[in-house]
Amino acid sequence: MNVIKGNISCLEDLTPLFNAYRIFYDQPSDIEGAKEFLKARIQKDESVIFMAYEEDIAIGFVQLYPFFTSVGMQRAFVLNDLYVDTTYRGKGVGKVLMEQAFRFCGMEKARFVLLQTATNNHTAKALYEQMGMQLDHENDCYIKYL
């Protein structure tokens, strides 16, 4: 398995994985919309993407979005997307992608990495805990959809 930092030349490989990720979260398939969304994030340098390849086949990705913590006066990252093609699940791909994401965030001197997942996503939650992530019991998360 090879992990690379995604860029515009990876867009054709990344788009179907991103579309499948969205479908997993009950969103309608939208290949063209996914491609445009990813293209904008890459061109505007608004996210960091790492992709896993097996031979020449893209098999998974992780996407990080930077932000800042005022209290910590440092950069932090939201690990917003992690997806592994169903054929390659259970083979450690998600773990390798997360390790790469954590290494990158460490090199960026980030204060922390934050993520959110569905309460019933037990497989992912087990991986996150295995990777040393902790459920935050000190802060409530509020959201307002617009």
Side-chain angles (χ1 to χ4, degrees), residues 2-7 10-11 13-14 17 49-53 58 60-62 97:
N2 186 31
V3 176
I4 65 163
K5 187 173 180 187
N7 56 47
C10 302
L11 196 55
D13 292 341
L14 179 59
L17 290 171
I49 301 167
F50 292 101
M51 296 181 60
Y53 282 85
F61 76 96
V62 63
L97 286 166

Side-chain angles (χ1 to χ4, degrees), residues 72-96:
M73 296 188 302
Q74 285 176 263
R75 177 176 261 200
F77 287 87
V78 174
L79 193 159
N80 207 67
D81 312 321
L82 174 65
Y83 183 79
V84 176
D85 183 275
T86 55
T87 307
Y88 296 91
R89 290 187 186 162
K91 298 180 181 182
V93 178
K95 181 178 179 183
V96 169

Side-chain angles (χ1 to χ4, degrees), residues 85-146:
D85 183 275
T86 55
T87 307
Y88 296 91
R89 290 187 186 162
K91 298 180 181 182
V93 178
K95 181 178 179 183
V96 169
L97 286 166
M98 287 188 71
E99 287 170 344
Q100 179 62 46
F102 292 157
R103 267 193 303 278
F104 172 81
C105 293
M107 289 188 315
E108 292 290 308
K109 303 203 182 327
R111 175 87 173 190
F112 57 83
V113 177
L114 172 74
L115 69 78
Q116 176 180 320
T117 193
T119 55
N120 65 350
N121 194 352
H122 303 293
T123 303
K125 288 166 60 172
L127 173 62
Y128 303 149
E129 291 173 13
Q130 176 191 353
M131 299 296 299
M133 298 197 84
Q134 302 169 357
L135 192 58
D136 185 347
H137 295 287
E138 295 179 21
N139 298 289
D140 289 333
C141 178
Y142 291 87
I143 191 166
K144 179 175 179 156
Y145 291 100
L146 305 173

